[in-house]
Amino acid sequence: MAEVIRYTRAEISKQDGKDNRKLWIIVKDIVYDVTTYLHEHPDGEASILEVGGKDATKDFADHSSDAKKILAKYKIGEIVEEEKYYDANGKKKKGVVSTDAEQGGRGCMSIITCGLLG
């Protein structure tokens, strides 16, 4: 069995599908390279590009079992242990809250850092 490749959220954020970069997404701490699927996405490219390089768990929650089977083909790794939001059963870990950064906004650390630097 091959060893699982682990990625940080920062590494994944660089693969947002823009400027000829790969298109990676995270769903429940699993990393998927959906670059080749982009043109096949039934809802169009824009909807999947919105979550490129981000955690798409919330966006993917209402997808069909067929969509989940398709997604499984694109798995390339997992999030590093210290950055995981979910346990081994796919349940959100206690104390983990969604961040603005997860949704493409500025997380509290960014705001604090900007305030200190600004």
Side-chain angles (χ1 to χ4, degrees):
M1 188 163 86
E3 186 176 329
V4 175
I5 299 171
R6 304 216 184 260
Y7 299 94
T8 65
R9 291 180 183 275
E11 289 173 308
I12 294 156
S13 70
K14 296 174 186 172
Q15 303 302 328
D16 59 6
K18 298 174 185 165
D19 300 323
N20 292 318
R21 288 187 293 265
K22 299 245 181 220
L23 179 61
W24 293 1
I25 62 171
I26 307 164
V27 176
K28 289 197 171 183
D29 295 332
I30 306 295
V31 182
Y32 301 92
D33 181 347
V34 293
T35 307
T36 58
Y37 184 71
L38 180 62
H39 305 296
E40 299 175 40
H41 192 264
D43 201 24
E45 294 179 13
S47 63
I48 199 167
L49 281 168
E50 274 182 28
V51 293
K54 299 177 188 166
D55 194 309
T57 303
K58 190 174 182 178
D59 301 275
F60 200 76
D62 294 331
H63 281 64
S64 69
S65 59
D66 287 341
K68 291 173 184 170
K69 286 178 190 172
I70 291 169
L71 184 64
K73 297 177 197 175
Y74 297 98
K75 179 180 175 178
I76 60 168
E78 296 180 6
I79 295 295
V80 295
E81 283 301 318
E82 55 273 12
E83 293 183 12
K84 284 190 173 188
Y85 293 166
Y86 295 86
D87 65 20
N89 298 316
K91 301 290 182 192
K92 197 151 204 168
K93 291 181 178 180
K94 289 183 180 183
V96 173
V97 273
S98 296
T99 64
D100 289 339
E102 210 180 320
Q103 306 305 323
R106 287 174 37 174
C108 63
M109 288 309 294
S110 299
I111 294 167
I112 292 167
T113 304
C114 291
L116 292 172
L117 296 175

